[in-house]
Amino acid sequence: EGYTVAVVGAGLVGDRIVAELRRRDFPLKELRVLARTARRATLAGEEFEVGVAEPEAFDGVDIAFFAGTEGEKGAAVQLAGEAISRGAVVIDNGSDFRMDPEVPLVVPEVNAGAAKDHNGLIANGNCSTIQMVVTLAPLAREFGIEKVIVSTYQAVSGSGRGGVEALEDGREGVYPKPIDRNAIPLIGGVGDDGYTSEETKMRLETRKIMGLPDLEVFATAVRIPVHTGHSESVYVELGREATLDEVVEALRSAPGVTFSGDADDFPTPLEAAGDPNTFVGRVRVEGNVAQYWCVSDNLLKGAATNAVQIAEELVGVRV
Ligand code: 2RA
C-alpha cells in the first residue's frame, strides 16, 4: 500500500524532504534516494543506499521530488522528462520550470487547485517567494493587494552545504564577499534591469502563484550570516484602507501562519528553524498600507514541506 517515491538530490533539501515524508507520515510503499553518484548517505538520520540518478532509476516511481542542482546540466532538466515518461509525477524544487506556462507553480495554502492541472511536472516556488505568498494570500483575499515591497534577510543554508561552510568554516568562493559579520545584497546574478535572479524570482513567481499578473512587486534580497530561516520585511498596499485589527485577524487566521502578536513578541530565524510554519509579527497598518515581518525555515516551508504538501494534494492525503 502507498506510493513509490524518489528523492533526487542528497543535499540539505533532499534531507528535509525525507524528514518531512516521515514526519507527515506520507503513504510510502518504497522510498528511493538518487544522486549523481551511487553511495551510502544519511538523510534525516536514516541510512540510504543512494542510487545513480539515471532514466531506469525511475521505473515504477509514482512521485519524484527533484532537489538537486538546477540548470541545463542539472538532474531536473536532464531527467524530469524521463521520469514522467515512466509514469512519475515530478515535483521540482528548482527554478528551471517555475515560469513555464505549462507547469503549475504551487503553494498549497495559496493555489492548491493549480496542482491538478499538471502535465506530469509541478514546480515548487523559491523559498523566499513561498513564505511571502503564504502571508500575502490572506491580505489579497480580504482586502485585495496592489503593490508589494520586500527586503529579505536570507540564511546561508539557502546556498546549500557550501553556504553553511562559508559561514561556519570561512569557505571562500561561495559568496562574492565574506559573509561572517556581514550582509551581502547579491543573491544570484544581476540582470539588465539591475535586479538579481533571486529578486526576479520573487517578482515573477509571486504574480504567477497569486494569479495577479499586474501586481507590482519590488524586492531586495540580502544574504546574512544566519544558518537557517529566511526573514522578510514586507510592505503591501492593500486595495482599501484597513485597521490594524482587521489585518492582524486576516494574518492570524491564515493557513500556514503562526502569528506573534505583540510588538515585543517578534519571531526570529533561530526560533523558526525546524518549524514548518511561517511566522508573522511587527504588524503596522497606516491607511491602506500594511507592513510586517515574516520568518520561515527556508529548507522546510521554503522547500521540503511545501513539496510534500503538493504531493499530499496529488494523492488526496489530508494531514
Ligand atoms: C537561496 N532562495 O536562498 C535561494 C535558493 N534556495 O539561496
Side-chain angles (χ1 to χ4, degrees), residues 99-111:
M99 298 314 294
D100 181 330
E102 297 300 308
V103 175
L105 178 58
V106 180
V107 177
E109 292 86 348
V110 183
N111 66 336

Side-chain angles (χ1 to χ4, degrees), residues 248 252 259-267 280-283:
V248 164
R252 189 194 298 278
F259 182 76
S260 299
D262 307 324
D264 59 1
D265 172 22
F266 48 88
V280 174
R282 298 295 330 282
V283 182

